[in-house]
């Protein structure tokens, strides 16, 4: 069983695989995610992003004309690999345990997700903030979690119910 990565680690791995981005763009997106998550979208400046990414402010503006454009670009990889990887790690580390009852499944899942949330609180805070203002992001999250529930949670519950546990 492998240790589940943080969202920042999975995001960085996802960016590495994205061939449509230059190395500078990847650095800007990673730096942006870290800064937006740690200090908030509104409090983050383009100068801070450039400094963290090790690029000039002009390089940031060349690809991303506004900070909102950076945010949109930061969110895209979350659905292009990051969330799938996190879900697969959760499946491997949690659902691979072979639960003996629905009660055990619920207890382990809740404890595991609280631990995950604690390790990733800043990125989760950024995502929650976007849920308040970005209906497309909300719909994408809803669809993702519905799909994951159908693939991971429901089969385990159905099995346990069939076994009358």
């Amino acid at each position: 069983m492998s240790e589940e990565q943080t969202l920042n680690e999975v995001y960085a791995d996802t960016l590495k695989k994205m061939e449509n981005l230059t190395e500078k763009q990847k650095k800007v997106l990673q730096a942006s995610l870290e800064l937006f998550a740690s200090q908030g979208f509104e409090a983050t400046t383009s100068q801070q992003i450039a400094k963290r990414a090790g690029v000039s402010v002009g390089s940031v503006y060349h690809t991303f004309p506004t900070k909102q454009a950076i945010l949109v670009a930061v969110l895209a990889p979350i659905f292009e690999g990051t969330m799938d990887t996190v879900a697969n790690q959760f499946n491997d580390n949690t659902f691979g345990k072979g639960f003996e009852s629905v009660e055990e499944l619920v207890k382990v899942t809740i404890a595991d997700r609280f631990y995950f949330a604690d390790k990733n609180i800043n990125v989760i805070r950024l995502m929650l903030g976007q849920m308040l203002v970005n209906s497309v992001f909300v719909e994408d999250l809803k669809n993702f979690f519905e799909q994951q529930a159908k693939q991971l949670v429901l089969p385990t519950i159905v099995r346990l119910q069939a076994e009358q546990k």
Side-chain angles (χ1 to χ4, degrees):
M1 179 167 68
S2 62
E3 176 69 22
E4 194 169 4
Q5 294 175 287
T6 67
L7 285 169
N8 271 331
E9 292 167 340
V10 175
Y11 188 84
D13 289 346
T14 301
L15 286 178
K16 287 177 189 173
K17 297 173 189 171
M18 296 181 78
E19 296 175 1
N20 60 323
L21 298 174
T22 67
E23 287 307 310
K24 282 184 180 181
Q25 290 169 333
K26 292 174 185 179
K27 288 178 183 179
V28 167
L29 293 179
Q30 184 68 45
S32 298
L33 175 67
E34 292 168 5
L35 290 166
F36 292 161
S38 66
Q39 62 190 37
F41 174 73
E42 293 299 328
T44 301
T45 67
S46 298
Q47 291 79 7
Q48 291 171 319
I49 293 169
K51 183 176 181 180
R52 173 75 63 96
V55 300
S56 70
V57 175
S59 291
V60 173
Y61 284 121
H62 177 73
T63 305
F64 310 104
T66 66
K67 198 166 68 166
Q68 186 65 36
I70 296 171
L71 180 61
V72 169
V74 164
L75 295 176
I78 289 175
F79 293 103
E80 294 177 23
T82 300
M83 294 295 284
D84 285 332
T85 300
V86 168
N88 289 337
Q89 289 176 355
F90 171 64
N91 182 41
D92 293 347
N93 293 336
T94 303
F95 282 90
K97 293 181 180 176
F99 299 103
E100 295 297 319
S101 68
V102 173
E103 180 181 350
E104 180 186 8
L105 166 70
V106 170
K107 284 181 179 178
V108 169
T109 300
I110 289 172
D112 179 82
R113 293 300 82 188
F114 272 113
Y115 176 76
F116 178 82
D118 185 56
K119 282 178 41 178
N120 295 285
I121 192 68
N122 288 336
V123 175
I124 292 170
R125 187 180 305 121
L126 173 66
M127 293 171 68
L128 289 173
Q130 282 308 295
M131 290 174 67
L132 295 173
V133 297
N134 186 334
S135 61
V136 173
F137 185 71
V138 171
E139 192 62 29
D140 288 345
L141 273 178
K142 178 180 163 252
N143 291 337
F144 176 80
F145 284 117
E146 282 178 1
Q147 175 190 8
Q148 294 304 311
K150 288 176 185 174
Q151 291 177 350
L152 301 177
V153 180
L154 292 180
T156 303
I157 291 174
V158 168
R159 177 186 60 81
L160 291 170
Q161 286 175 334
E163 296 170 1
Q164 297 182 343
K165 298 181 177 184

